[in-house]
Amino acid sequence: MLLEMTDICKDYPLDKGTVRILNNINLNVDEGEYVAIMGPSGSGKSTLMNQIGCLDTPTSGKYILNGKDIAGQNENQLAEIRNTTIGFIFQGFYLLPKLNAVDNVALPLLYANVSKKERTERAIEALKSVGLEERLYYRPNQLSGGQQQRVAIARAMVTKPKLLLADEPTGALDTTSGEQIMELFKKLNDKGTTVIMITHEQSIADHAEKIYYIRDGILSDRKGGETN
């Protein structure tokens, strides 16, 4: 089991009391699985993504990721987990505009204190794996949206993470580019990478092997019903 969430709740304080965003979430994901989590705006899916990605901690419940109890980790340890265990892909790409593709992809390795030579070699290898061997030294504004997302995927994969966590990965792309990104996710999953994808689009979720649905902070393995 790569990921195990048990009765995860997340509350946020208000002027008068608190509001519960996640309500007793239970989610198990094995290594090598390809999972989609669907939900409309305001359903809690972004909050859940932050929990899965160790960007936030739950109010209650237990989260085990790659054998580690996340609740017992301090901020530095959580940062290390994010940098080594999880590869993040976002709708907005978040590439640095002044850096070329190689340097953008190499950034996580810089934070991991990898030597410059190895950073460059691994970044080039990652970019080649997503079909951008002819765009290595292009800056983001010289790339299409689909190519920028491929750079973002290469950046996510350069640390060889156990888990690829994608938040609306095709939201800023046209249909053709989106399908190409989905094909790339399938290839990465076929090679053993665990993929969890957050989306509001059924056609995108259908690429996954398993789909969960979240509404009003409750996670379900079917539309309209709570997970057993």
Side-chain angles (χ1 to χ4, degrees):
M1 189 74 64
L2 177 63
L3 179 161
E4 185 176 3
M5 288 184 154
T6 306
D7 294 329
I8 294 291
C9 294
K10 183 64 182 180
D11 299 338
Y12 287 102
L14 296 177
D15 291 337
K16 297 180 180 180
T18 60
V19 59
R20 175 150 291 182
I21 305 299
L22 298 179
N23 190 3
N24 293 316
I25 297 290
N26 292 285
L27 176 65
N28 295 330
V29 178
D30 287 324
E31 285 197 38
E33 279 198 277
Y34 187 172
V35 171
I37 299 174
M38 280 196 69
S41 178
S43 62
K45 65 181 186 296
S46 294
T47 303
L48 178 56
M49 189 212 75
N50 289 341
Q51 299 294 319
I52 294 171
C54 301
L55 296 166
D56 197 4
T57 53
T59 303
S60 61
K62 191 168 187 177
Y63 179 24
I64 304 296
L65 176 64
N66 197 32
K68 293 182 179 179
D69 186 346
I70 297 305
Q73 308 297 312
N74 62 36
E75 285 300 320
N76 288 336
Q77 291 169 325
L78 289 173
E80 183 179 356
I81 289 169
R82 290 193 296 269
N83 196 44
T84 59
T85 305
I86 308 169
F88 293 92
I89 299 169
F90 300 99
Q91 177 177 337
F93 316 140
Y94 296 116
L95 303 177
L96 296 184
K98 294 184 178 181
L99 298 184
N100 61 38
V102 169
D103 290 339
N104 263 291
V105 172
L107 270 178
L109 300 176
L110 174 63
Y111 301 141
N113 295 317
V114 175
S115 70
K116 181 174 175 53
K117 181 176 183 293
E118 184 178 349
R119 291 199 306 268
T120 300
E121 290 174 349
R122 287 173 61 175
I124 290 173
E125 178 185 358
L127 285 163
K128 287 180 177 179
S129 74
V130 298
L132 288 179
E133 57 271 11
E134 297 182 0
R135 299 288 189 274
L136 298 177
Y137 300 103
Y138 284 51
R139 292 185 178 181
N141 65 0
Q142 298 172 306
L143 300 170
S144 68
Q147 290 169 337
Q148 289 184 63
Q149 191 61 298
R150 286 173 180 266
V151 174
I153 292 170
R155 180 185 58 196
M157 296 304 300
V158 76
T159 58
K160 300 179 181 178
K162 293 269 190 179
L163 171 63
L164 187 63
L165 182 57
D167 184 20
E168 301 285 2
T170 63
L173 304 178
D174 59 65
T175 302
T176 299
S177 297
E179 285 298 319
Q180 291 173 346
I181 295 302
M182 288 299 95
E183 290 174 7
L184 184 53
F185 278 13
K186 180 65 166 58
K187 289 179 181 178
L188 292 170
N189 180 246
D190 286 344
K191 292 180 180 179
T193 301
T194 306
V195 179
I196 299 179
M197 181 170 58
I198 312 293
T199 183
H200 68 278
E201 297 183 68
Q202 186 70 55
S203 61
I204 297 300
D206 286 341
H207 288 271
E209 297 170 348
K210 185 183 296 182
I211 303 176
Y212 291 93
Y213 302 89
I214 186 168
R215 182 177 291 275
D216 298 326
I218 298 174
L219 190 68
S220 167
D221 57 7
R222 58 191 181 277
K223 289 184 178 179
E226 294 186 29
T227 302
N228 294 327

